[in-house]
Amino acid sequence: MAEQSLEEREARVAEAMEAFSERLQEAGLKSTKQRDVIVERFFWLDKHISADELLEDVREHQPRIGYATVYRTLKLLVEQGFALPKDFGDGQTRYDPIHNQDPQHDHLICVDCRKIIEFNDDGLNERIQAIAEKMQYQVRRKKIELYAECQIPACPNHPDQSA
Amino acid sequence: MAEQSLEEREARVAEAMEAFSERLQEAGLKSTKQRDVIVERFFWLDKHISADELLEDVREHQPRIGYATVYRTLKLLVEQGFALPKDFGDGQTRYDPIHNQDPQHDHLICVDCRKIIEFNDDGLNERIQAIAEKMQYQVRRKKIELYAECQIPACPNHPDQSA
DNA sequence: ATGAATGCAAAGCGTTTGCATCTGG
DNA sequence: CCAGATGCAAACGCTTTGCATTCAT
């Protein structure tokens, strides 16, 4: 969401790619051109992306990539802890890149324009811990989605806001 | 979740059925034997049920019911505000009956035994309101799921707990 | 060279829909 | 009567899989 310089973005992607490569080697898996492109674009785009959207983007760099490969790579990313599958109720699974520094944010989805806004609230997280503890549970991960409408007359979050 | 006497359950179902019938009439829709059975079983079972599970149950009462009818009825229930579709990541949509008295609860899902526990925490709700307000949004509905593991050595929430 | 990854197309799965038939109001 | 509901099967959209080929190590 926050604006990000090209350098920052490149640094972030490079870091993520490095971590990913390491993990691949650890797991005895191979690094291929397709896999690398998919993962790199996934980290570069850095948004809740669907397999479909990712494939479309990746094909600009590697036209002959098939969707099976995208799905397989996405699954791999999830298994290796680099992505989290999300379902926002629009019929397709979206994948959320996990940055080490922002391990677990929540979402507010505008019911008017479907824009997805990320947020993080410490008070909320504390309360959740407390709730789980009271029930004798320890939270592993959470999924918090607020479906809300904008209160400003003309919803400011229209998709045509240059991304 | 809470134990419920047969009378209570019957009363609850009757009330829900009445409300549903009213809504049907208001909307100029018809009450049919199939529809009634599906809706009644849905309210009676009163859990996060999948179309599949509901169909199986309903067929004990009306064997010739097709799954299209179940899906259509579930959709109707959602449209009319009697059910909320939920996705817990197991590949199929589950439907959560809405009781007037418990309009919007949240869920804790045991990662060990997949048991789904409902809860409701006012402090949590208040905080959520505040978060949305700060962002200039008004929450329409929320989806909060805590995936957590039980801290008691032998997870007490095993599916074989008589339902 | 050898096990893993790819690309394609086919299959799979949950869900929706077209259509002829039936039914409630 | 006639709009709406049903049941069946076919269609659907997203995702997964089988298999022959290619590629990284």
Side-chain angles (χ1 to χ4, degrees):
Chain A
M1 302 294 97
E3 300 307 320
Q4 199 172 202
S5 78
L6 223 59
E7 286 86 22
E8 283 172 334
R9 181 176 275 214
E10 274 163 2
R12 179 175 48 68
V13 172
E15 190 184 342
M17 288 300 292
E18 197 173 340
F20 177 70
S21 300
E22 248 174 71
R23 198 67 66 91
L24 274 190
Q25 283 191 263
E26 283 170 21
L29 300 173
K30 289 175 181 170
S31 158
T32 69
K33 191 160 292 183
Q34 295 90 326
R35 197 169 265 180
D36 290 349
V37 176
I38 293 169
V39 172
E40 186 171 357
R41 292 306 301 168
F42 176 70
F43 285 135
W44 176 263
L45 295 168
D46 191 35
K47 61 180 182 187
H48 319 88
I49 202 168
S50 66
D52 221 42
E53 293 164 354
L54 185 54
L55 175 62
E56 193 183 358
D57 180 278
V58 164
R59 276 200 168 141
E60 293 174 18
H61 304 258
Q62 287 275 121
R64 308 201 41 66
I65 268 179
Y67 45 94
T69 304
V70 171
Y71 276 110
R72 286 191 272 234
T73 305
L74 248 9
K75 186 187 235 178
L76 175 66
L77 284 165
V78 171
E79 286 166 358
Q80 300 300 327
F82 292 94
L84 227 41
K86 298 266 172 186
D87 184 304
F88 295 117
D90 60 351
Q92 52 191 30
T93 306
R94 293 176 173 281
Y95 295 83
D96 201 0
I98 298 173
H99 315 79
N100 325 355
Q101 65 277 19
D102 180 17
Q104 186 67 56
H105 54 257
D106 303 308
H107 296 103
L108 185 151
I109 296 103
C110 179
V111 295
D112 295 323
C113 66
R114 298 246 109 202
K115 168 147 183 169
I116 298 166
I117 298 164
E118 293 175 4
F119 69 89
N120 223 319
D121 184 273
D122 290 337
L124 180 63
N125 293 331
E126 281 162 28
R127 179 125 231 140
I128 278 165
Q129 293 296 343
I131 291 169
E133 252 169 54
K134 197 165 43 177
M135 294 198 278
Q136 300 251 48
Y137 276 85
Q138 178 155 346
V139 178
R140 279 257 197 81
R141 64 199 163 82
K142 61 182 162 50
K143 173 154 70 173
I144 298 186
E145 289 156 28
L146 273 28
Y147 294 83
E149 60 188 305
C150 185
Q151 291 187 301
I152 299 171
C155 172
N157 297 312
H158 284 300
D160 56 10
Q161 268 196 345
S162 69
Chain B
M1 302 292 99
E3 298 308 317
Q4 200 172 199
S5 77
L6 223 61
E7 285 86 23
E8 282 170 337
R9 180 174 275 214
E10 275 163 2
R12 178 174 49 66
V13 172
E15 190 185 342
M17 289 301 292
E18 195 173 343
F20 177 70
S21 299
E22 248 174 70
R23 197 68 66 89
L24 274 189
Q25 281 190 263
E26 282 169 23
L29 299 173
K30 289 175 182 170
S31 158
T32 69
K33 191 161 292 184
Q34 294 91 325
R35 196 168 265 180
D36 289 348
V37 175
I38 294 169
V39 173
E40 185 172 357
R41 291 308 298 169
F42 177 69
F43 285 134
W44 175 263
L45 294 168
D46 190 36
K47 62 179 181 188
H48 319 88
I49 203 167
S50 67
D52 220 42
E53 293 165 353
L54 184 53
L55 175 60
E56 193 183 358
D57 180 280
V58 164
R59 276 200 169 142
E60 292 175 19
H61 303 257
Q62 286 275 120
R64 309 200 43 66
I65 270 179
Y67 46 95
T69 304
V70 171
Y71 277 109
R72 287 191 272 235
T73 305
L74 248 10
K75 186 186 236 178
L76 175 66
L77 283 165
V78 171
E79 287 166 358
Q80 300 299 328
F82 291 94
L84 227 42
K86 298 267 170 184
D87 184 305
F88 295 117
D90 60 351
Q92 51 190 31
T93 306
R94 293 177 173 278
Y95 295 83
D96 202 359
I98 298 173
H99 316 78
N100 326 355
Q101 64 277 18
D102 179 16
Q104 186 67 55
H105 54 257
D106 303 308
H107 295 103
L108 186 151
I109 297 103
C110 179
V111 295
D112 296 322
C113 67
R114 297 247 109 202
K115 168 148 185 170
I116 299 166
I117 298 164
E118 295 175 3
F119 70 88
N120 223 321
D121 184 274
D122 289 337
L124 180 64
N125 293 332
E126 281 162 27
R127 178 125 232 142
I128 278 165
Q129 293 296 344
I131 291 169
E133 253 170 54
K134 197 165 44 178
M135 295 198 276
Q136 300 250 50
Y137 277 84
Q138 178 154 346
V139 178
R140 279 257 197 81
R141 63 199 163 81
K142 62 181 162 52
K143 172 154 68 172
I144 298 186
E145 289 157 27
L146 274 26
Y147 294 82
E149 60 188 306
C150 186
Q151 291 186 302
I152 300 171
C155 172
N157 297 312
H158 284 297
D160 55 11
Q161 269 196 345
S162 67

